[in-house]
Amino acid sequence: MCGRFTITRRDGNSLAAELGVPADSFVDYRPRYNVAPTQNHFVVRMRYENREVIPATWGLIKSGSKDASMAAKTINARSETVDTRGAFRDAFQKRRCVVPADGFFEWTGPKTARHPIWFHREDSRLILFAGLYEAWQKEQGVWQTTFTILTTAANELLESYHDRMPVILADRDADDWMDPRAPDPHALKRLLVPARADLLTATPVSPDVNDVDNDSPDLLKPPGQMNLSLRSG
């Protein structure tokens, strides 16, 4: 699965350049070291021929829902059933996106002493998770965009930590995935496969990642090298 991730680029301009979106797409951007379910983030979708960034909250809520009670249960969608499960079927057909990140966490050890592992690219390049998005009306006239991250079977690197991993798209495949005019969305399921084992590296990091209120660069230091400035404020 994917239950926490990072996006640590220092500034929005460099992030926009990497994603191929307009330079002003990230006016309010700040690095995140511990993005958690139901928190705000952003996704990239295709609008006509161009990529577009839109703010979104993690945890898919279907259009027409009366409340957000299901959000924490829909942070991930299994790629094998995404086209048939009611919570995701419509979004899979029409509203596919990518979720930019540069790493994600899994945990190891006993339940009483869980140790986070940060999976990221050794070259520090972005990771593009395959995602879906929906918009629902929180209250009269107020709409909110929400998203989910697709998962697939774990590759050789991840399988020691979890039996699932997020679907990571190559940049060349991202536009195909996001294309709302794709004549056969089901054909895109060919992209929903485990990443090659050498794409990512695994780095043990601070157990303070376990607290969703902590959001600091120090979280990515090896265990025992923390300082007191953990809180995002």
Side-chain angles (χ1 to χ4, degrees), residues 153-165:
N155 63 17
E156 295 92 330
L157 176 65
L158 267 292
E159 63 186 4
S160 297
Y161 304 92
H162 202 283
D163 62 353
R164 307 289 295 178
M165 69 177 295

Side-chain angles (χ1 to χ4, degrees), residues 77-85 88-89 92 132 150 192:
R78 294 177 67 92
S79 59
E80 297 88 345
T81 58
V82 69
D83 55 335
T84 58
R85 186 178 169 191
F88 308 116
R89 184 175 57 240
F92 171 74
L132 308 173
L150 273 66
L192 308 181

Side-chain angles (χ1 to χ4, degrees), residues 21 40 44 72 90 111 113 119 127 140 148 156 164 189:
V21 298
N40 295 329
V44 179
D90 290 346
K111 291 183 178 180
F119 293 91
I127 295 169
Q140 188 65 33
T148 189
E156 295 92 330
R164 307 289 295 178
K189 291 189 72 175

